[in-house]
Amino acid sequence: MTDSPPLPNGNWPELKPGWVWLCGAGPGDPGLLTLHALNGLRQADVIVYDALVDAAILDWALPRAERIYAGKRGGKPSAKQADISLRLCELAKAGKRVLRLKGGDPFVFGRGGEEAQTLVQQGIPIRIIPGISAGIGGLAYAGIPVTHRDVNQAVTFVTGHDQTGQTPASLDWKALAKGSQVLVIYMGMKHAPEIAGALLDAGRPKDEPVAVVAQATTPDQKVLETTLGRMVDDIAAAAFNPPAIICIGRSVLMRQVLDWQSWAAGQVPRDLDPLKRAPG
Ligand code: SAH
């Protein structure tokens, strides 16, 4: 395959010329990549990657691999979705082994479904490689389990803005407030005031725990613990760098016992049984 060190024993698929592997890169920490992703990185002629993909991950690609940036960061103009899909088609049709690397999981608020559909419509063979999504793995790095038996039997993943850049009008915030014990909000920082307002209006308590995890799983990870009533002011004061994920619900309290990164750094748990003592 390559001169890279071997993967663990197994029947690893070959990334064939003319194929596109649409692959999740996880939330940041390169160790959260899957072995299928690593296997793809070690074979790809071309890697088309997003802004949220950590540079260290690209270091695992073949030195000769072409690296194409398709993200929006660093003041570079944003590549249009249709252009990216088209580019992927061209590369595949030119007989390249193409790895399309996206932050988190490609099918979670990542437009992976659209890209994959275009590829299939163009007759290009694809493989989908899931990744660890920020709304699950990113929260885990902050010591927040997205489900916990004593808290929630459902979790709702929400996008904070839609194609128009506005808070999604299609979302019934009243129903969400009523039916979802834990809400995990992607791309929610810009519209945090509308989101908090809608949930409070719908009857969620002001003192409901909220966490904001910025740059989750990276060495720059920062966590804000706040409440629904205070989150808007606290988010403004914290002035975190993006990306950030917002978790609303009592599972946030579990961080008091599960903030494992702080324990590893010498702090001690604040409360060994935070849910029992929590109101409600
Ligand atoms: N497909 C990605 C999500 C892409 S949408 C996934 O599955 O994770 C981009 C949003 O994801 C960001 O606005 C932010 O809310 C969240 N996000 C991605 N990476 C993150 C990280 N390392 N820390 C915090 N939030 C992150």
Side-chain angles (χ1 to χ4, degrees):
M1 200 166 66
T2 71
D3 49 4
S4 307
L7 285 156
N9 284 338
N11 217 353
W12 296 101
E14 184 190 347
L15 171 47
K16 297 196 179 93
W19 280 63
V20 177
W21 284 7
L22 189 62
C23 175
D29 182 349
L32 295 178
L33 211 70
T34 64
L35 293 178
H36 275 307
L38 183 58
N39 178 43
L41 273 164
R42 289 182 176 180
Q43 301 180 70
D45 301 312
V46 188
I47 296 153
V48 182
Y49 65 99
D50 275 353
L52 293 175
V53 175
D54 195 285
I57 289 171
L58 296 173
D59 287 347
W60 289 333
L62 298 174
R64 63 163 175 81
E66 189 186 348
R67 293 155 170 80
I68 300 176
Y69 177 80
K72 304 185 186 174
R73 283 264 179 88
K76 295 177 200 174
S78 128
K80 286 211 186 74
Q81 190 58 47
D83 295 346
I84 297 171
S85 299
L86 214 67
R87 188 77 191 270
L88 293 172
C89 292
E90 280 168 14
L91 290 164
K93 283 177 179 164
K96 306 279 188 196
R97 300 172 171 86
V98 185
L99 188 72
R100 172 69 173 120
L101 206 53
K102 298 175 77 76
D105 182 285
F107 279 1
V108 178
F109 300 131
R111 300 187 187 169
E114 293 163 50
E115 285 178 26
Q117 182 180 4
T118 306
L119 291 164
V120 172
Q121 285 170 342
Q122 297 286 318
I124 291 156
I126 60 167
R127 182 184 186 99
I128 308 293
I129 302 176
I132 294 180
S133 192
I136 298 177
L139 292 178
Y141 266 45
I144 301 169
V146 282
T147 76
H148 186 293
R149 252 183 349 154
D150 297 336
V151 174
N152 58 328
Q153 287 68 51
V155 55
T156 307
F157 298 105
V158 181
T159 171
H161 62 74
D162 60 18
Q163 279 132 330
T164 65
Q166 302 304 309
T167 340
S170 56
L171 279 176
D172 182 345
W173 289 95
K174 275 207 166 61
L176 281 180
K178 201 155 167 255
S180 187
Q181 298 131 316
V182 174
L183 296 155
V184 177
I185 303 173
Y186 292 71
M187 297 175 273
M189 295 297 269
K190 197 165 147 216
H191 296 297
E194 290 96 319
I195 292 165
L199 291 172
L200 288 167
D201 284 351
R204 292 289 276 243
K206 259 190 176 153
D207 62 356
E208 177 158 12
V210 172
V212 178
V213 187
Q215 295 173 283
T217 82
T218 75
D220 300 318
Q221 172 175 306
K222 295 208 165 51
V223 183
L224 167 70
E225 286 177 47
T226 178
T227 61
L228 204 49
R230 287 199 327 260
M231 67 178 260
V232 175
D233 289 344
D234 287 353
I235 285 174
F240 285 164
N241 285 325
I245 196 103
I246 304 174
C247 180
I248 299 173
R250 285 178 62 239
S251 42
V252 167
L253 297 177
M254 284 301 287
R255 183 172 147 78
Q256 296 175 17
V257 62
L258 297 182
D259 179 13
W260 55 276
Q261 298 207 69
S262 295
W263 316 159
Q267 290 183 38
V268 291
R270 284 171 282 163
D271 185 341
L272 292 176
D273 193 7
L275 291 176
K276 195 181 283 170
R277 299 178 42 187

